[in-house]
Amino acid sequence: MSKVFICYAHEDEKYLDLLLKHFDHDLLDVWSDKRIEGSEHWEEEIQKALDSANCGILILSASFFNSRFIKDIELQRLLQNQYEKNTHLLPVLAEHCNIDKYVWISKKEVLPKGFKAIENIKPRNHNKEAVKIIKRVEKLLEPQPEQTDGIKQNVVNTINYPDNPPATNNFPESNDDFFGRERYFDILDKAWDDEQVNILSFIAFGGIGKTSLIDNWLKRMKKDHYRGAKNIFMWSFYSQGSEEDRQVTATEFLLEACKFFKIKKIPKTAYEQGRKLADIISKQRALLVLDGLEPLQSSLEDIGEIKDNGLQVLLKGLSRQNKGLVVITSRIKLASIDNQYEKLEKLEDYEGAELLRSFELNGTNEELKKISNDFDGHALALKLLGSYTNVVLDKDISRIDEIESLRDDQSKSSNHATRMLNSYKKYLKDTIELDILKLLGFFDRAISFDVIDVLKNKPLIENINDKLVDISDREWKYALDKLRQLHLVSNNDKVLDTHPLVREYFSKYIEENYEDSYIKGHHRLYKYYENLPEKEYPDTIEEMEPLFQAIHHGCKTGEFSYVYKNLYRERINRKDRYYLSLNLARYDLKLSILHNFYDIPYSKFSKKIDNTEEMSIIKNLIDGDVANSLFTFGRSTKALQIYEQMILSIIDNRQENLLIAVLTNIMKMYLDMGDLNKVLKIYKNYKEKVPKEPVESYELFNGTYGYVLFLQGNIEEAKKIFLKIERSFLKDTQKITNLNLLAGNKVPIPKNIYSTMGYFLYKIYFYTKEYDEVRKRIRNSIEMSEYLGAKYQIGLDYITLGRLKIVDNERKRLTLNIFNKAIEYLRKSNEINYISEGLVQRAEAFRYYKKFKEANADLQEAYDLIIRSEAKLLLADWYIAAIKLANDEENFIKANTYFKEAETLSKELNEYFIFKEELKKLESNFVIEVKDE
């Protein structure tokens, strides 16, 4: 039978009696000090009752907190048992008192709900509240399903851990005792209980103990039955590399998170996965732990910005609304996302001394404190020092002087771990253990033992696997056990893993000291991964993963030309099909892959790349791919820098086709940013220099110029340009169509321009109300776009069709279905500016049909994307839609605020005539109402 201990002050006996009369004493053994009246051994009986209790009810009042016996005896024991024995604590607010200063009180567990003390509830309802309290106790004490030690667990039907396959979701588990940092546990506890805190981030240099802090807090949470968490999902991005300037994606994380949170139909694009996850996670009491986020944050410019689109939208959504909590650890402070930020400080001297003492070192507390101070309280360095002194120096701290000192040019805050690793390297010289550590230097993540065998086994790689090629299983196991004892590798028996700083150290060591062997090792891994896929041309991201790894290791060998042409362009992109971006819409993965060719992301190519004519051409192609992907993600400023640096090299290498594509993209970026004069200047400077073939690229170049003329109010001239483009385009494509028909291929016949050029023309026709011109073209546009399969083209055409349905006063359901289909295609395209454009247009449709809630949701999402991408032209359209919506909702103050902000933007976009005209119409039709008020 479960036992309940009721802790109360004698002044509150009436509340005790209220609860006692409602308990089912056949179901629960309820204990209070009324059971010891007259006993000589009352203190002993209380101690026994406290230790055997499965649940403690705390009747809170000023008298409760003023009772010395309660605080020193009963409460202290109950709190200790809460962590050691999973004893439940249920606070009951009897009388109003200050509970805010007591961090051990979980506000979400306090009854009655709403912090309304029983004394403030009408007496006739006291029994009703007592019954609720008893039911809560009975619920807490229901038999729980048996727990396992595996990663996937269900605790009280509330905890749902993900699977932990090799090299994915390897959240590092600390097997050591944890010292100090109690103040940070309090911060975490308060954040979990505070409904206003949605994201909590801990920032510190590597090795300070961020991961260990979170791991040990989770162990405490587990003892408290996870304090109401419905789901806990943990992910360490250190499994994908720890370099802060490394372009890493959240692909694995998003996919595993979608599976974990039971998303039945997982979206194909990272952006949609993040958006869907934000919606699902925000509505439940979930704990999301993201450890080591810095590989996905920018460290060179826009410091702290999330580089991955899917993760960006996930965290943005959860920062606004979240019933649970996101806990982040990183070396870089999170930018542009609301979060509670805490700096994780070094260990205090007494905390460092405790850590060292755990290694049974023979010094006094004062001596250990001094050593901790000398090592700057760096947690990893002190742990390595403790194990080194224990094993190598026979626990004698007087011999610590044998460890090398810091050089004058080294910073104490970041190089104590390096100092210890240098010592370990000397100690392990010519051993199996040192060769195992060298193997870790070939990887930027935890790695399976199957892959380790690729390097470990014959043939010999001199200075790398000398001691490993003929090793027995027993010797291998012994060496691993020794490295674990020295805290140099993790205890995970499924993968070989270590702290990121250890991995970085040995990577640098083998590259600088054994360059030929470093290249041979990476070449062996590169060939292993190249041959791993079953298909020559993999279809899915999962099937392509080995090729991504092959590119990483291939670039380490310097074989850039082969890697680019045969792996990236041939097998991943399928030559000119751009399969990864257009078919799979994974621009994020494209960035991650191409990062391997650079030393400094997107600005300085690897020193190993030869300056041959072939590599100069390839460098331009890589830069163009990178810039296009960045632009797709809304990172226009960086994309522009890359494109503009490419121009001279492209001209020198006579890459005319690439020149016109780059110039058109530059024009599109300046167009989105609202710098119309810059677009005109580029067109004027290059219109005689660009090739007229291929026709489609040339006409896109001209069409961007024509669209700028329209925005500036030169509408008739713009229309003439587009109709000329259409004639030229149809003349060229008819030749291709005839050849296809002769060959027996069934292809649709283009009757007008489509894709981006068609969309520009349709916007002009909508402005001039020439709807018949749209009607006679749009069906063929859709047919051509669907045939070609480019998702953004299909989405834009359906936006046009939806707008036409509104003009034609078609049924609401039909029209909104068309807009929904448009957004579905635009989302699949993963192109931020097109998604923004579609959301603004659908918001207008929702407004037209008085669906204001949906309209506001679309505008909010569009605004987040527009602000991130600096797309001022889209922001202007957003303001027009937002002002109209606010007026229709009769929120005139909001409408007027937006109007004033739009007027300011209009001054920046001085050449945007159409925007100014729209504002004038709004001022005369709507905003005047605000001024009248």
Side-chain angles (χ1 to χ4, degrees), residues 687-840:
K687 66 178 181 178
E688 301 300 330
K689 300 176 184 178
V690 297
K692 293 180 171 53
E693 299 287 343
V695 172
E696 191 169 355
S697 297
Y698 179 68
E699 300 305 359
L700 186 58
F701 177 73
N702 289 323
T704 306
Y705 164 71
Y707 187 61
V708 169
L709 294 182
F710 159 67
L711 296 177
Q712 290 182 324
N714 197 344
I715 297 167
E716 291 305 316
E717 183 62 27
K719 206 183 298 181
K720 287 179 184 177
I721 289 173
F722 276 101
L723 293 177
K724 182 180 178 181
I725 288 172
E726 188 171 66
R727 289 192 297 272
S728 173
F729 175 75
L730 290 177
K731 183 179 178 181
D732 182 74
T733 55
Q734 190 61 52
K735 297 175 187 175
I736 300 171
T737 303
N738 290 336
L739 289 173
N740 274 298
L741 290 172
L742 286 171
N745 298 325
K746 293 183 179 180
V747 296
I749 299 173
K751 299 174 183 176
N752 44 258
I753 53 173
Y754 49 88
S755 185
T756 307
M757 290 300 93
Y759 189 67
F760 284 165
L761 178 58
Y762 298 144
K763 291 184 80 170
I764 296 172
Y765 281 139
F766 273 111
Y767 185 79
T768 57
K769 299 183 179 179
E770 295 176 80
Y771 305 124
D772 283 340
E773 294 296 331
V774 180
R775 289 187 187 98
K776 74 180 185 182
R777 287 173 168 83
I778 188 58
R779 290 295 177 185
N780 184 251
S781 288
I782 292 174
E783 185 181 16
M784 292 302 302
S785 295
E786 289 181 337
Y787 169 74
L788 293 170
K791 294 175 177 61
Y792 79 90
Q793 295 179 5
I794 302 170
L796 292 178
D797 283 338
Y798 275 108
I799 286 292
T800 299
L801 181 61
R803 292 184 68 189
L804 193 59
K805 294 299 181 185
I806 291 176
V807 170
D808 293 340
N809 201 25
E810 285 279 5
R811 297 189 313 277
K812 175 173 69 173
R813 184 174 179 181
L814 171 66
T815 304
L816 290 180
N817 280 342
I818 291 171
F819 275 102
N820 291 340
K821 191 170 184 178
I823 297 299
E824 181 182 343
Y825 275 107
L826 292 175
R827 290 193 190 287
K828 287 178 180 178
S829 77
N830 209 18
E831 300 205 29
I832 294 302
N833 286 351
Y834 287 138
I835 296 172
S836 306
E837 169 96 10
L839 288 168
V840 171

Side-chain angles (χ1 to χ4, degrees), residues 29 42 70 128 155 167 190 267 293 312 315 374 380 387 398 457 488 515 530 536 660 690 703 708 739 771 790 909 925:
D29 181 5
W42 60 273
I70 287 176
K128 184 177 179 180
V155 182
K190 287 180 179 178
L293 194 64
Q312 169 86 8
L315 292 179
D374 290 343
L380 175 64
S387 62
S398 66
N457 297 334
L488 290 171
E515 185 178 2
E530 180 185 18
E536 181 69 15
I660 193 168
V690 297
V708 169
L739 289 173
Y771 305 124
L909 305 178
N925 294 335

Side-chain angles (χ1 to χ4, degrees), residues 143-384:
Q144 310 300 337
E146 184 177 350
Q147 298 180 27
T148 67
D149 293 330
I151 295 300
K152 190 164 187 175
Q153 303 181 30
N154 288 298
V155 182
V156 202
N157 290 324
T158 62
I159 305 303
N160 178 22
Y161 274 146
D163 290 330
N164 187 15
T168 62
N169 187 30
N170 63 325
F171 190 88
E173 183 176 352
S174 171
N175 296 295
D176 306 313
D177 294 329
F178 192 74
F179 302 95
R181 305 290 172 88
E182 292 295 329
R183 61 192 181 279
Y184 296 111
F185 289 139
D186 290 343
I187 291 169
L188 282 157
D189 289 340
K190 287 180 179 178
W192 176 248
D193 290 334
D194 191 340
E195 295 180 358
Q196 302 304 312
V197 179
N198 293 334
I199 299 179
L200 172 65
S201 58
F202 287 94
I203 309 301
F205 292 115
I208 294 294
K210 302 182 293 292
T211 302
S212 185
L213 170 70
I214 304 305
D215 177 56
N216 280 276
W217 178 66
L218 287 167
K219 289 175 180 175
R220 294 187 176 207
M221 287 276 283
K222 181 179 180 180
K223 290 180 180 180
D224 198 15
H225 295 279
Y226 296 101
R227 295 169 56 186
K230 298 300 178 187
N231 281 300
I232 296 179
F233 186 75
M234 307 175 297
W235 191 273
S236 176
F237 289 101
Y238 286 134
S239 67
Q240 294 179 252
S242 57
E243 300 171 33
E244 291 170 15
D245 63 351
R246 176 173 163 73
Q247 174 64 39
V248 179
T249 74
T251 301
E252 292 175 87
F253 159 71
L254 291 170
L255 186 60
E256 291 300 320
C258 285
K259 294 175 183 176
F260 174 80
F261 286 101
K262 296 181 173 61
I263 295 177
K264 293 180 180 178
K265 189 175 181 180
I266 299 177
K268 297 296 184 184
T269 68
Y271 177 83
E272 278 305 288
Q273 290 170 3
R275 196 177 69 89
K276 188 73 173 175
L277 281 168
D279 180 58
I280 289 174
I281 296 172
S282 67
K283 296 173 182 175
Q284 56 183 277
R285 189 80 169 120
L287 175 62
L288 181 63
V289 179
L290 306 180
D291 181 50
L293 194 64
E294 64 267 15
L296 287 106
Q297 293 175 267
S298 176
S299 62
L300 300 175
E301 52 188 36
D302 302 324
I303 295 177
E305 288 282 354
I306 299 294
K307 295 184 285 189
D308 184 274
N309 220 24
L311 187 60
Q312 169 86 8
V313 71
L314 169 62
L315 292 179
K316 199 80 171 179
L318 292 178
S319 71
R320 286 204 186 92
Q321 180 183 355
N322 188 7
K323 286 187 176 181
L325 179 68
V326 181
V327 177
I328 292 171
T329 72
S330 179
R331 300 180 192 179
I332 309 173
K333 189 175 179 180
L334 200 61
S336 300
I337 293 173
D338 291 335
N339 69 110
Q340 179 178 317
Y341 153 74
E342 299 289 341
K343 185 177 180 181
L344 188 63
E345 302 290 350
K346 66 179 184 178
L347 290 172
E348 298 289 347
D349 289 347
Y350 75 90
E351 294 171 334
E354 283 185 70
L355 191 158
L356 292 171
R357 177 70 68 193
S358 70
F359 289 95
E360 302 177 353
L361 308 189
N362 60 8
T364 66
N365 279 339
E366 289 306 312
E367 288 173 324
L368 296 179
K369 284 181 184 178
K370 183 180 184 305
I371 293 171
S372 176
N373 184 269
D374 290 343
F375 275 72
D376 209 32
H378 192 275
L380 175 64
L382 287 172
K383 186 183 292 185
L384 293 173

Side-chain angles (χ1 to χ4, degrees), residues 22 37 69 163 168 180 202 273 290 353 510 536 588 591 593 651 708 710 780 803 808 843 893 906-907 919 933:
H22 287 286
E37 292 179 3
F69 184 81
D163 290 330
T168 62
F202 287 94
Q273 290 170 3
L290 306 180
I510 59 175
E536 181 69 15
D588 53 337
L591 284 174
I593 294 166
I651 293 173
V708 169
F710 159 67
N780 184 251
R803 292 184 68 189
D808 293 340
I893 295 175
S906 179
K907 292 175 184 176
L919 286 178
E933 289 181 353

Side-chain angles (χ1 to χ4, degrees), residues 649-667:
S649 177
I650 290 172
I651 293 173
D652 288 344
N653 285 290
R654 299 177 182 177
Q655 292 172 277
E656 287 85 1
N657 290 349
L658 186 57
L659 174 64
I660 193 168
V662 167
L663 288 172
T664 303
N665 283 332
I666 291 175
M667 290 167 67

